[in-house]
Amino acid sequence: MNPLIIGAFIFALTLVLLATGMPIAFALGITALFFMVLNDGWMAITFLPETLFSGLDDFTLASIPMFIIMGAAVASSRAGSDLYEALSRWLYKVPGSLVISNIGACALFSALTGSSPATCAAIGKMGIPEMRRRGYDADLATGAIAAGGTLGILIPPSVTMILYGIASETSIGALFIAGILPGLLLTSLFIAWALFLSWKRGNTQVFAGQSYTLAQRLELMPKLLPLMLVVVGVIYSLYGGIATPSEAAGVGAALCLAMVVVIYRMWTVKDLWHIFRDALRESGMLLMIIGMSVLFSYAMSSSLVTQSVATAIAEMDVNRWVMLGAVNVFLLVLGCFLPPAAIILMTTPIILPVITAAGFDPIWFGVMLTINMELGLITPPVGLNLFVINGITPDVKLTTILRGAFPFMMCMVLAIVLLCFFPGIATWLPSVLMG
Amino acid sequence: MSEVYKWVCRVSTAVGIFAAGLMFVAILVVCHMVFVRAVLNESSIWQTEFVTFALIAATFLGAPYILLTRGHVNVDLLPILLGESGRRRLAWLATLLSFGFCMVLFYSSVHWWWEAWELGLTTPSIWRARLWIPYLSLPVGLGLLCLQYAVDMWALAKGLSSPFAPIVTNDSVPQESAA
């Protein structure tokens, strides 16, 4: 059978299985098993455990659970609310400072945890009620946090970028560095929109009559600076080539654990279990998807689907920007239904050869893809951040959150357009720092 | 059966705690490896393989607990759109398919593990780790995962759990997915 037709069958079967609501990992595994049996007969069953195990038997993958533990440790502590409080105390004189504090806290917390839902939950729990108490409309308060939370997968360290780095065999250190400027760009765009809207709605004098002494402003710094230094140290050791991603993440996780134990006194068995339980759930779920996607990729390449689809796209001879636009739309649609990990692992083997053949930089594309995945986190029907926010503020309708998040989605689209016109936003810093 | 249901949930939780412990040990070993390399200027022998194997084991041994707490992320668009009876039918279909796949994987992993044990396979590294030890995590984890699926179906049939909703036991408090 024509590999392209087999590819269409694989795509259709995967969609049907995913629609049943079964775990994504098993939907990928069943599809892979079906086509492996079709190709190699029932003997294919005997290859399953070996293929699965060898797919996970890679020390680089250890960086994923390590970064997750690092994030879970910080997310379980009061670091999020401290960060928010510290920024509020420093910025209280600036017009619209509450919005800046919220989005800024999201950006900084992203650097500490690398997780979008965790960022949303940690900053949103403090920020949304405070913004609403001070008269901000619910759509702006919730939309700003939903969008700010998405920065978690763009600002390093980012598990999404690690997955892309592994799937595309590009430097994880370079990807991390490449995410910094686009992360700052998005943060600025988010702040600019939120400030404009709050100014338009007359929410600029919200801190009138309040003041903080220098001592009060510095009060929370001893708690937050050590955590920030760990993250900076991890990223520095990565781009400096001092440590591998797994080593840097492992030491970072140990230091973050030690700090939350010492600074936030989280030393009870219950506290530690909560950290490791959350980390186990996220890392186990991700590694299971990674393992099954290895089977999926094996089934695709042994049926020559990967190679045929890449060749077919390349032979279409369309303008490379049109092709890039189509890829972006495709990723965006997938992002509405699937989590970033599944999209990256399923599509990178097919899309990346096409992208690189069209002359695009894989690091730059990694940043574009991550912003696309960010969009998926606040796009219905399965935008995870929307549901996290809905959980924090059950009295705000999902449609209100969506209305608030929409302009921030447009900021992300603008960031993608800016990245297309000025690719240096992503590629300049890695080229300067890493050569 | 109710007792079996509770025991399976307890075992899944206990093995989940063990899996979390493996993650903790993996962190310590990575730190030890960095110390040996950077401070003692010696080469590491066993640490890389140990960490990789420990995290693979944590993934498979933790899988039943993750299922128990509904941590395996899914696309729940159709279940949300459907009515109660449609959702129930879909939950049965999804659970049966997943259960069948895990059974196939469990069956093949038992054979694979047995082969490594019988042949005394080891890693090609200096450490020469006996492969049946890390391989064991697959049949054990997948076997427990099948058991968890079995009690999951029982709970669904008895109306103890709603379709696509977490099973609640005294030992485990389901958490919202952080994925």
Side-chain angles (χ1 to χ4, degrees):
Chain A
M1 199 189 285
N2 184 326
L4 288 177
I5 297 173
I6 299 177
F9 274 124
I10 291 180
F11 186 65
L13 180 62
T14 312
L15 284 187
V16 169
L17 290 172
L18 287 173
T20 63
M22 70 165 54
I24 289 172
F26 301 148
L28 293 178
I30 293 172
T31 311
L33 177 63
F34 182 79
F35 284 92
M36 281 164 78
V37 170
L38 214 63
N39 268 339
D40 308 318
W42 288 106
M43 273 298 287
I45 288 176
T46 55
F47 315 147
L48 282 179
E50 180 69 48
T51 315
L52 195 55
F53 192 91
S54 54
L56 292 172
D57 187 7
D58 176 357
F59 187 59
T60 313
L61 283 175
S63 60
I64 292 175
M66 298 295 163
F67 273 124
I68 289 173
I69 294 168
M70 193 171 146
V74 178
S76 305
S77 71
R78 280 185 45 80
S81 46
D82 282 350
L83 194 59
Y84 170 80
E85 185 63 32
L87 277 178
S88 304
R89 291 183 188 183
W90 278 98
L91 299 171
Y92 74 99
K93 278 184 180 168
V94 181
S97 61
L98 198 55
V99 167
I100 303 175
S101 302
N102 273 287
I103 297 175
C106 281
L108 288 171
F109 199 69
S110 300
L112 290 173
T113 63
S115 161
S116 288
T119 304
C120 253
I123 307 300
K125 270 177 203 161
M126 287 285 292
I128 295 173
E130 186 65 15
M131 278 201 276
R132 294 181 72 196
R133 198 171 64 80
R134 289 178 186 264
Y136 282 80
D137 292 329
D139 63 338
L140 175 60
T142 53
I145 298 293
T150 66
L151 294 167
I153 60 171
L154 181 62
I155 294 178
S158 151
V159 171
T160 305
M161 282 192 167
I162 297 173
L163 284 172
Y164 174 78
I166 291 168
S168 63
E169 294 177 1
T170 44
S171 158
I172 293 168
L175 280 166
F176 278 3
I177 304 291
I180 294 175
L181 286 183
L184 292 175
L185 170 74
L186 259 185
T187 309
S188 314
L189 288 174
F190 289 167
I191 288 176
W193 170 255
L195 276 180
F196 168 74
L197 201 65
S198 52
W199 166 77
K200 205 175 154 197
R201 292 176 178 178
N203 292 123
T204 49
Q205 297 301 320
V206 286
F207 278 104
Q210 196 169 11
S211 67
Y212 292 103
T213 62
L214 187 63
Q216 282 174 317
R217 287 192 221 174
L218 291 171
E219 196 184 349
L220 294 166
M221 289 299 136
K223 284 184 174 181
L224 295 170
L225 276 179
L227 289 170
M228 288 291 178
L229 283 176
V230 171
V231 175
V232 172
V234 164
I235 294 166
Y236 174 77
S237 64
L238 271 179
Y239 90 74
I242 298 166
T244 64
S246 302
E247 290 169 345
V251 174
L255 289 175
C256 278
L257 273 173
M259 282 174 192
V260 297
V261 164
V262 174
I263 299 170
Y264 291 100
R265 299 171 191 276
M266 295 179 65
W267 52 53
T268 65
V269 174
K270 194 180 166 192
D271 289 334
L272 293 173
W273 165 238
H274 280 176
I275 293 172
F276 278 92
R277 176 198 65 193
D278 291 348
L280 175 72
R281 291 178 80 243
E282 195 171 341
S283 134
M285 175 273 293
L286 269 177
L287 288 180
M288 193 63 92
I289 293 179
I290 293 170
M292 295 302 169
S293 74
V294 172
L295 290 180
F296 189 80
S297 300
Y298 174 78
M300 295 255 279
S301 60
S302 61
S303 314
L304 301 175
V305 173
T306 316
Q307 303 87 326
S308 302
V309 173
T311 312
I313 298 174
E315 281 173 357
M316 283 161 94
D317 201 25
V318 290
N319 179 295
R320 66 185 201 134
W321 292 104
V322 174
M323 189 264 297
L324 184 73
V327 166
N328 268 313
V329 171
F330 175 65
L331 291 172
L332 194 59
V333 172
L334 283 183
C336 293
F337 301 96
L338 291 171
I343 298 173
I344 290 170
L345 295 167
M346 281 163 66
T347 62
T348 305
I350 295 175
I351 293 176
L352 195 72
V354 180
I355 290 291
T356 47
F360 292 113
D361 185 303
I363 300 282
W364 170 83
F365 180 69
V367 175
M368 291 267 289
L369 180 112
T370 307
I371 300 177
N372 254 306
M373 299 299 101
E374 283 187 80
L375 265 164
L377 288 169
I378 50 172
T379 318
V382 287
L384 187 60
N385 284 15
L386 298 175
F387 295 107
V388 174
I389 299 287
N390 198 220
I392 297 169
T393 55
D395 60 312
V396 180
K397 283 183 186 167
L398 205 56
T399 47
T400 309
I401 303 173
L402 251 176
R403 197 175 63 233
F406 184 76
F408 294 99
M409 289 182 209
M410 291 300 106
C411 291
M412 292 181 195
V413 175
L414 178 63
I416 291 177
V417 174
L418 285 173
L419 269 171
C420 288
F421 282 105
F422 309 103
I425 298 169
T427 55
W428 176 73
L429 204 53
S431 67
V432 167
L433 293 174
M434 300 179 86
Chain B
M1 185 62 189
S2 165
E3 277 305 303
V4 175
Y5 162 71
K6 281 182 189 161
W7 270 103
V8 171
C9 293
R10 277 181 202 145
V11 171
S12 293
T13 307
V15 177
I17 293 170
F18 178 73
L22 280 175
M23 291 176 80
F24 181 67
V25 173
I27 294 179
L28 297 181
V29 173
V30 169
C31 293
H32 176 255
M33 180 172 71
V34 171
F35 179 78
V36 165
R37 275 194 191 157
V39 181
L40 303 180
N41 238 347
E42 292 170 9
S43 17
S44 55
I45 296 165
W46 53 275
Q47 291 89 339
T48 310
E49 280 180 344
F50 180 89
V51 168
T52 314
F53 292 158
L55 292 173
I56 294 175
T59 303
F60 287 99
L61 295 176
Y65 176 73
I66 301 173
L67 177 68
L68 174 71
T69 56
R70 293 296 184 269
H72 288 295
V73 68
N74 63 343
V75 180
D76 52 4
L77 178 63
L78 199 56
I80 289 169
L81 292 175
L82 288 174
E84 179 60 29
S85 71
R87 193 158 46 233
R88 183 166 287 276
R89 280 192 203 123
L90 200 63
W92 272 108
L93 177 67
T95 310
L96 279 170
L97 282 170
S98 304
F99 176 68
F101 174 69
C102 291
M103 284 295 282
V104 171
L105 207 51
F106 169 64
Y107 168 81
S108 57
S109 65
V110 169
H111 279 266
W112 174 67
W113 170 80
W114 180 251
E115 205 176 79
W117 164 273
E118 278 278 290
L119 300 173
L121 298 179
T122 58
T123 55
S125 63
I126 308 168
W127 189 32
R128 294 181 61 79
R130 281 163 293 178
L131 278 169
W132 69 265
I133 301 170
Y135 283 6
L136 188 61
S137 64
L138 262 83
V140 172
L142 291 165
L144 281 172
L145 190 61
C146 291
L147 270 179
Q148 188 59 54
Y149 262 121
V151 296
D152 214 347
M153 286 189 278
W154 180 80
L156 193 61
K158 288 281 174 190
L160 290 173
S161 73
S162 305
F164 299 101
I167 297 173
V168 181
T169 70
N170 292 332
D171 310 297
S172 59
V173 181
Q175 301 295 309
E176 189 188 325
S177 173

